[in-house]
Amino acid sequence: MSEEALRLRRPAHEPFTQLLRAASVDKKFIDAGREIWVLRGLDLEVAAGEEIAIVGQSGVGKSTLLHVLGSLEPPTAGRVYFEGQDLFAMDERHLAEFRNARLGFIFQFHYLLADFSALENTMMPGLIARLPDPDARVRAAEVLDLVGLGEKLHRRPAELSGGEQQRVAVARAVVLRPRLVLADEPTGNLDPQTADEVHALFHRLNRELGVTLIVATHNERLSRSMGRTLRLREGKLFDERGNDGS
């Protein structure tokens, strides 16, 4: 593992189209009057189409980093740029529209609406984006078929397995074809075989839809399968050697 904080670029010999950049990002919280620094001068550059795993000890700030990159929480200092646009220069309404249209979020728990079918849950981002109901329905059905649930469109979450529920959550995250998906321990509640199936699904979405992936995970099999693995430590990201066997 490198001891040098990186600018974190794709290797020079590969095509590079910058999608996301975090520049000198700090993030602190106040707890009982005490400052807790989670991120300190963190830099990151992400190319369109990359698959990146973020690893690190529990409590080190991986979720906080994803929230800042996804514009859910503002940094204490520094900037986050998406396709060159300073995200936190936008007002909250435009940020909300940006998140719905350009980003997908996947969490450890699926957060599906229990009274709605797989199709209806997957339609939600489209309806929020004010797509006509028939268009949202068609998009949701297509992406559910892509994730292997084409025969279970009308099942409610309780009628699906844990792995199937997470597949619905993945479908919901990508139904509007976002440029970037941020996933926080997305297979932490799944058994190893089901987790591997979801990992394979991530790679398929990356290949077939061109979705850029940033995944915070403790799963070594997933991190090894990603294009880059970065370790969060002491508020900064470091290159984790080993994806290529080194």
Side-chain angles (χ1 to χ4, degrees), residues 104-124:
F105 296 90
I106 304 169
F107 303 97
Q108 184 169 347
F109 186 69
H110 51 73
Y111 295 112
L112 301 178
L113 299 175
D115 293 334
F116 290 83
S117 68
L119 181 66
E120 291 165 334
N121 270 281
T122 304
M123 288 171 61
M124 289 299 174

Side-chain angles (χ1 to χ4, degrees), residues 13-160:
H13 63 279
E14 297 185 18
F16 180 87
T17 303
Q18 187 183 92
L19 180 70
L20 179 74
R21 180 166 71 93
S24 301
V25 166
D26 294 345
K27 182 65 178 179
K28 72 176 178 181
F29 297 97
I30 305 298
D31 182 27
R34 183 168 61 96
E35 290 186 347
I36 300 175
W37 289 88
V38 180
L39 308 176
R40 282 187 174 273
L42 181 143
D43 292 320
L44 173 64
E45 293 188 11
V46 179
E50 280 201 277
E51 294 180 301
I52 298 175
I54 306 292
V55 301
Q57 296 180 347
S58 295
V60 76
K62 299 187 299 296
S63 295
T64 298
L65 174 58
L66 291 188
H67 290 173
V68 172
L69 296 178
S71 74
L72 294 172
E73 292 185 22
T76 302
R79 296 285 186 269
V80 179
Y81 300 93
F82 189 93
E83 295 182 324
Q85 183 173 16
D86 184 346
L87 291 185
F88 294 99
M90 289 192 277
D91 61 36
E92 188 52 46
R93 180 175 69 85
H94 287 98
L95 260 183
E97 292 173 352
F98 162 79
R99 283 191 293 265
N100 188 58
R102 310 301 294 279
L103 302 182
F105 296 90
I106 304 169
F107 303 97
Q108 184 169 347
F109 186 69
H110 51 73
Y111 295 112
L112 301 178
L113 299 175
D115 293 334
F116 290 83
S117 68
L119 181 66
E120 291 165 334
N121 270 281
T122 304
M123 288 171 61
M124 289 299 174
L127 296 178
I128 291 170
R130 300 183 180 87
L131 288 180
D133 185 279
D135 292 349
R137 192 172 297 272
V138 168
R139 286 196 184 204
E142 288 175 346
V143 75
L144 283 167
D145 185 61
L146 180 64
V147 303
L149 294 176
E151 302 299 318
K152 299 185 178 182
L153 301 183
H154 303 293
R155 301 277 183 90
R156 294 185 179 183
E159 300 172 304
L160 300 171

